[in-house]
Amino acid sequence: MYSKQNQGQDSTTAELIQRHAEIVFGNKAKADLWLAQPMAGAVEGSRLQAANSKTGYEFVKAELEKLSHGYAC
């Protein structure tokens, strides 16, 4: 169970990932579609859900960085 402090942190990381994706993809609709896709590998759930953990956040952030530089993920 999360404390209120953790819930705030989760929404903050999700918001950061959302904004980053919107910048990379150029609009909210494309970013939302990409973030809703399931993660490859051991993590279950969407990219946005995975971003709620520190490891997932770092992984999604790294994927967005690669995409912003022209690499396919």
Side-chain angles (χ1 to χ4, degrees):
M1 183 174 276
Y2 291 117
S3 69
K4 287 184 180 183
Q5 183 179 8
N6 286 343
Q7 288 174 348
Q9 183 180 8
D10 290 348
S11 65
T12 302
T13 57
E15 289 170 5
L16 289 172
I17 287 294
Q18 180 72 41
R19 280 188 243 134
H20 194 166
E22 288 174 15
I23 291 167
V24 170
F25 287 98
N27 69 52
K28 185 174 179 356
K30 289 179 183 178
D32 288 346
L33 183 63
W34 186 81
L35 288 168
Q37 298 288 320
M39 291 269 305
V43 178
E44 291 187 30
S46 70
R47 288 180 173 105
L48 190 58
Q49 290 169 327
N52 286 325
S53 73
K54 182 173 174 54
T55 304
Y57 172 81
E58 293 299 329
F59 186 81
V60 175
K61 182 179 168 187
E63 280 190 322
L64 286 168
E65 287 296 319
K66 289 177 188 175
L67 288 170
S68 72
H69 293 290
Y71 296 98
C73 293

